[in-house]
Amino acid sequence: MASKSDFASVEWKKLVQAPLLAGFAVSAADPSGFIGLLREAFAAAHSLSDARAQAGDELIRAVAEELATSTGRAEAREGVRTVAQGAPLEEIKRRSLDALKEAGALVDAKGGEHARPFKEWLLHISRVVAEAGLEDTFLGFGGIRMSDKEKATLSEISHMLGLDASSAGSA
């Protein structure tokens, strides 16, 4: 059973930042305008709330509970701020993907049986964010649920985490 005590403080911080960066990577891949970004942010927040209440995996629940604390939220925001600081969108996406790859490697090394569920959770958050806002709308009409850029980013996240893209629905 993996828990916070199994990770050095800097490693734990990276795991706490990973859920926000999972959604951030998708948002950076294809920004959806102000309303779309709000929907994506609310979708990510809802996924985190659900994990606290319903996660069957102890590591996911521990990270989600950490994000519910002021310290956890500050650490997560710091990760997003570091990734976004002074960078164009493509660089923000790349930095987010690199951080997710690092988090995946950490849980692979120390998470035991919790590694795969944790990585599937990150991919799930990415998918929820990608599907949150409509893309390519005209004055709020029409649109598609997920853009090609968002689909490509989900595939990249899946690859970075060593998962099959179809795993996103199983977290």
Side-chain angles (χ1 to χ4, degrees):
M1 178 168 79
S3 67
K4 182 177 181 176
S5 63
D6 295 317
F7 299 91
S9 63
V10 69
E11 294 171 333
W12 183 250
K13 189 175 179 178
K14 290 176 188 209
L15 295 184
V16 170
Q17 292 171 350
L20 267 63
L21 292 172
F24 202 58
V26 173
S27 293
D30 195 9
S32 303
F34 181 72
I35 299 298
L37 287 174
L38 282 176
R39 286 183 178 150
E40 290 172 352
F42 285 128
H46 187 70
S47 290
L48 295 174
S49 174
D50 283 351
R52 280 183 51 222
Q54 301 170 7
D57 183 83
E58 291 92 16
L59 183 58
I60 292 171
R61 190 174 313 113
V63 168
E65 287 175 359
E66 184 81 18
L67 282 164
T69 68
S70 60
T71 302
R73 285 189 305 274
E75 288 178 351
R77 282 192 304 266
E78 178 187 325
V80 170
R81 193 172 22 257
T82 300
V83 163
Q85 192 166 12
L89 288 174
E90 189 58 38
E91 179 66 14
I92 291 170
K93 177 185 143 188
R94 188 196 61 74
R95 290 177 185 177
S96 297
L97 292 174
D98 289 346
L100 290 174
K101 184 176 184 178
E102 192 172 352
L106 282 171
V107 295
D108 281 339
K110 295 186 172 187
E113 76 270 9
H114 303 282
R116 184 165 184 87
F118 187 83
K119 293 187 300 183
E120 287 174 346
W121 179 53
L122 296 178
L123 184 57
H124 172 74
I125 291 169
S126 299
R127 180 171 297 284
V128 167
V129 168
E131 293 175 343
L134 288 176
E135 308 296 329
D136 300 326
T137 64
F138 178 72
L139 300 174
F141 296 100
I144 55 174
R145 182 59 54 200
M146 190 184 315
S147 73
D148 289 340
K149 288 180 183 179
E150 290 172 327
K151 288 176 187 176
T153 301
L154 285 174
S155 180
E156 289 178 81
I157 292 169
S158 176
H159 177 74
M160 289 281 192
L161 296 174
L163 298 170
D164 180 318
S166 65
S167 299
S170 63

